[in-house]
Amino acid sequence: MDLNKRVRALNEYVTQSGVTLMIAEIEDFLHNGAVSSGSAPQSGKPRALICFSRLQWQDNPRLRHLLSRCAEDMDVIVFEEVEYSDARNASLHCKGTAAGVLIAAPILPARLGGREAEECQRRLLDQLVAERDIANPILWYDTPMSLAFSDHLKGAAIVYDCAGDLPETSDAPSALLVRERQLLSRADVVLTSEGGYETRRQQHGNVHRVAGGVDAEQWGHAWLRVKGLIDGAILARTAPSAPPAPSTRSRVREQSVRRGFDYLIVGAGFAGSVLAERLASQAGKRVLLIDRRSHAGGNAHDCHNDAGILVHPYGPHIFHTNSRQVFDYLSQFTAWRPYEHRVLATVDGKLVPIPINLTTINRLYGLSLTSDEMAAFLAERAEKPDEVRTSEDVVIGTVGRELYEKFFRGYTRKQWGIDPSQLDKAVTARIPTRTNRDDRYFGDQFQAMPLLGYSRMFDRMLDHPNIKVLLNADFQEVRDEIAYDELIYTGPIDEYFDYRFGELPYRSLRFQHVTLNQERFQPCAVINYPAESVPYTRITEYKHLTGQAHASTSISYEYPCSGGDPYYPVPRLENAALYRRYQALAEKEGNVTFVGRLATYRYYNMDQVVAQALAAFDRLVGAKRTRLSAPMAMGSDERRVRS
Ligand code: FAD
Ligand code: UDP
């Protein structure tokens, strides 16, 4: 098999099996076309959840809502309470739900009872686990009685969900009370209703009220909350100093009170994660990394959608850099898939390459110019302004007004909500103009995608005993609960200072993600729509980026908007001036380092943020008193390249 086929096969293997591969195993796969037997990983994120339910699926709406959502992320098996029949042998009846949950209903001969029945269920359960090759699942108990036949299973985390209407413990049969005590001593997380909360809190250190929902959105929130609690429990278990049961937050609080963290890092995107990794692994610091989202990775986060296609929920992220240092640094945590980004634009009813190059001009105008002729063609049209200040000046000064209007004006007005004449030159200067046929979007020396995706790369980066990660936690919420020596802040700088001088403008995006029942949608990863009459700016088809083989395909439309998550700092003179006022405050802030795209209000690519974080690390461990990260030199794509 050639390398391309192996990479495709590897992607398929990983998607279908859901395993986490170590670098050596990836190399093994690429070399031999398969992972050697015995090298299949045992650890990594759980890929399955087994729920022990005391009711049948159709009678348990709460589980139906929560676990159907869980099935979007992993295999979910619901092992129902036993039913007795006049059959001679025990059997397990399995059926799948529309949401992809597997319902396993044990049917036992009526003559069996007590221990025999428990042993029978244990055997059926073990068979199911072996057949489905389930390792290290999350165990979810809707009833403590199921411990009788499942207490031998090792789980990544144990959830006791007693939010349903269990009998009051004082009236409960003693077998139930015994099993419940056992379960409480094993569980990592206890979910309860409002009514049972106070009682349960006396019994366990990590109890949470999880309200149900009346509509899909509320159930969606409920599940996200539960998912965050489980993730926290799993991470807490892997932390070396962690005691076995109490909640992540109380454990974090305990540790912070006992010894304190050396660093609290706000934001688990590239800036925060790189600093956490460096401080923990190179300086032996104890780090607490928090994020208000339910995942690490910041805007670079990726995940498999319902159809099993790897997508970027916050828009396409393509890695490119000219910095060997940055590339080598990240290569410690991921293997790479060679990928050079190419983009087409729809202009005058034609699909032409952008950045503008020889092919673009020839195709658009039906010409067959040479490179020299194209240079002359552009020189005739370019209108050199006295001073190149704005995004309009840059483009008109290079390609002239007509091409500016076809490719840049509409796109930029949609993307930024203002005219290019009001926007700093750095914005459109990101896009080069070439007189040769090089149609790559970036000219950088290193261009590649993390082989198994960004999230796997972040998992590896943060997998260190000195790093604790707390998700779904806003800085405001935890700042007074945590003891730490130094703070690294990667969120919006104006928010940190409570908008004292007013809000810094950010541009946001609304993504419409669509999965289509066809193998391919468009000829390349991204197609730009510069016309103002089209409400979106670009469509991305993710399989081009990831190389994933799949019968369906997922695309996203990007609609720029002013509200919503702060995605883009807006490069304009007055915004830079407002930022400088915040920057002056930041410089006076003792023991706080501001790093990243939002905290330094810079339109940075991923590699620039990594470089900025590495530089901040050097300063922190070297000259400890320098607090504000200096801007790094512009990446090559921010310079205008001509050839
Ligand atoms: P972020 O990724 O924004 O991370 C900051 C984190 O801090 C977030 O997770 C946020 O939830 C958290 N946070 C903020 N405030 C708080 C708080 N108060 N409490 C707790 N947590 C908080 N770069 C490229 O190199 N190539 C690309 O192709 C590319 N495409 C992009 C496409 C889009 C649509 C966007 C928006 C950006 C793109 N980028 C790309 C840029 C890239 O996303 C950023 O450079 C990089 O992710 C910035 O990392 P960061 O850590 O500074 O910030
Ligand atoms: N741009 C444009 N037309 C295009 C591509 C880009 O006008 O076809 C302008 C637009 O202002 C955009 C900027 O160039 O915001 C930078 O483009 P890039 O693709 O780097 O944006 P990002 O990927 O950061 O959204």
Side-chain angles (χ1 to χ4, degrees), residues 134-283:
I134 299 168
N136 211 28
I138 295 161
L139 301 175
W140 176 302
Y141 286 89
D142 186 45
T143 164
M145 293 311 285
S146 303
L147 257 192
F149 58 85
S150 63
D151 56 359
H152 61 299
L153 287 187
K154 298 242 177 313
I158 298 182
V159 179
Y160 177 24
D161 181 2
C162 50
D165 51 346
L166 262 187
E168 282 298 313
T169 39
S170 55
D171 300 327
S174 58
L176 178 62
L177 288 177
V178 171
R179 288 292 178 205
E180 182 167 72
R181 268 201 298 276
Q182 285 173 353
L183 184 53
L184 283 165
S185 72
R186 287 168 171 238
D188 300 272
V189 185
V190 175
L191 308 178
T192 153
S193 60
E194 186 65 46
Y197 178 65
E198 279 314 322
T199 316
R200 297 301 187 188
R201 247 169 35 116
Q202 314 298 319
Q203 301 170 329
H204 195 276
N206 192 17
V207 179
H208 299 267
R209 284 166 285 206
V210 177
V214 290
D215 58 23
E217 197 182 347
Q218 284 183 6
W219 278 113
H221 287 310
W223 166 245
L224 281 182
R225 189 161 136 66
V226 172
K227 184 171 183 286
L229 294 170
I230 296 175
D231 285 348
I234 292 170
L235 281 163
R237 268 201 189 190
T238 53
S241 59
S247 75
T248 313
R249 279 200 194 178
S250 61
R251 192 173 304 117
V252 159
R253 207 178 305 124
E254 261 171 38
Q255 161 155 358
S256 75
V257 169
R258 218 178 326 120
R259 297 194 296 161
F261 288 97
D262 297 314
Y263 283 88
L264 171 62
I265 302 184
V266 178
F270 266 105
S273 298
V274 167
L275 273 156
E277 187 283 322
R278 288 288 86 182
L279 287 164
S281 74
Q282 304 302 303

Side-chain angles (χ1 to χ4, degrees), residues 206-498:
N206 192 17
V207 179
H208 299 267
R209 284 166 285 206
V210 177
V214 290
D215 58 23
E217 197 182 347
Q218 284 183 6
W219 278 113
H221 287 310
W223 166 245
L224 281 182
R225 189 161 136 66
V226 172
K227 184 171 183 286
L229 294 170
I230 296 175
D231 285 348
I234 292 170
L235 281 163
R237 268 201 189 190
T238 53
S241 59
S247 75
T248 313
R249 279 200 194 178
S250 61
R251 192 173 304 117
V252 159
R253 207 178 305 124
E254 261 171 38
Q255 161 155 358
S256 75
V257 169
R258 218 178 326 120
R259 297 194 296 161
F261 288 97
D262 297 314
Y263 283 88
L264 171 62
I265 302 184
V266 178
F270 266 105
S273 298
V274 167
L275 273 156
E277 187 283 322
R278 288 288 86 182
L279 287 164
S281 74
Q282 304 302 303
K285 301 294 181 191
R286 283 165 297 120
V287 177
L288 174 63
L289 176 65
I290 68 165
D291 203 295
R292 58 183 166 204
R293 289 176 172 163
S294 60
H295 56 75
N299 288 338
H301 167 71
D302 56 13
C303 59
H304 288 89
N305 65 12
D306 292 358
I309 300 173
L310 187 60
V311 296
H312 299 181
Y314 305 102
H317 277 70
I318 297 109
F319 185 78
H320 56 101
T321 188
N322 276 324
S323 163
R324 172 165 286 287
Q325 186 206 7
V326 167
F327 190 68
D328 286 349
Y329 170 71
L330 293 177
S331 302
Q332 297 175 78
F333 313 106
T334 185
W336 298 96
R337 164 177 194 263
Y339 172 77
E340 287 186 323
H341 193 44
R342 286 182 170 76
V343 177
L344 294 170
T346 35
V347 173
D348 295 346
K350 298 189 174 114
L351 268 184
V352 294
I354 171 98
I356 293 174
N357 62 68
L358 189 54
T359 312
T360 317
I361 298 298
N362 284 338
R363 202 180 286 171
L364 197 62
Y365 293 107
L367 298 171
S368 45
L369 302 180
T370 62
S371 282
D372 287 347
E373 286 165 348
M374 174 176 167
F377 176 96
L378 294 183
E380 264 172 40
R381 286 159 179 80
E383 297 170 22
K384 292 287 177 206
D386 295 340
E387 188 195 352
V388 178
R389 274 187 315 105
T390 71
S391 270
E392 182 186 78
D393 298 338
V394 172
V395 183
I396 291 189
T398 316
V399 298
R401 190 162 295 275
E402 185 176 306
L403 288 166
Y404 160 73
E405 285 176 3
K406 285 185 192 301
F407 286 89
F408 287 88
R409 191 177 63 185
Y411 189 111
T412 303
R413 284 160 70 120
K414 288 192 288 186
Q415 172 71 15
W416 299 95
I418 48 177
D419 194 79
S421 58
Q422 307 300 308
L423 205 54
D424 193 275
K425 63 181 177 195
V427 175
T428 51
R430 288 165 64 91
I431 313 298
T433 303
R434 304 192 186 106
T435 53
N436 60 18
R437 290 186 202 281
D438 182 357
D439 60 352
R440 295 170 309 156
Y441 205 66
F442 308 113
D444 300 52
Q445 189 187 351
F446 305 98
Q447 306 192 26
M449 296 292 290
L451 184 61
L452 302 181
Y454 290 96
S455 294
R456 297 284 180 108
M457 183 177 81
F458 279 98
D459 285 349
R460 297 242 162 89
M461 214 184 254
L462 300 177
D463 183 14
H464 189 283
N466 281 4
I467 303 176
K468 290 200 169 55
V469 182
L470 188 60
L471 299 172
N472 302 305
D474 195 289
F475 177 49
Q476 288 305 336
E477 211 187 331
V478 301
R479 65 188 303 172
D480 297 329
E481 295 190 44
I482 310 286
Y484 56 89
D485 294 339
E486 307 223 5
L487 178 69
I488 291 171
Y489 183 83
T490 77
I493 191 168
D494 53 342
E495 182 182 326
Y496 179 90
F497 290 108
D498 208 14

Side-chain angles (χ1 to χ4, degrees), residues 55-105:
L55 293 176
Q56 294 196 331
W57 182 245
Q58 69 271 14
D59 300 326
N60 202 336
R62 178 184 156 76
L63 279 188
R64 272 207 323 270
H65 282 293
L66 293 176
L67 298 187
S68 295
R69 283 170 172 83
C70 177
E72 293 171 10
D73 291 326
M74 63 181 79
D75 294 339
V76 175
I77 293 134
V78 175
F79 201 91
E80 287 187 340
E81 182 139 41
V82 67
E83 264 190 67
Y84 291 95
S85 79
D86 49 12
R88 288 180 48 157
N89 296 316
S91 59
L92 195 63
H93 288 209
C94 293
K95 63 173 191 290
T97 71
V101 174
L102 184 84
I103 310 296

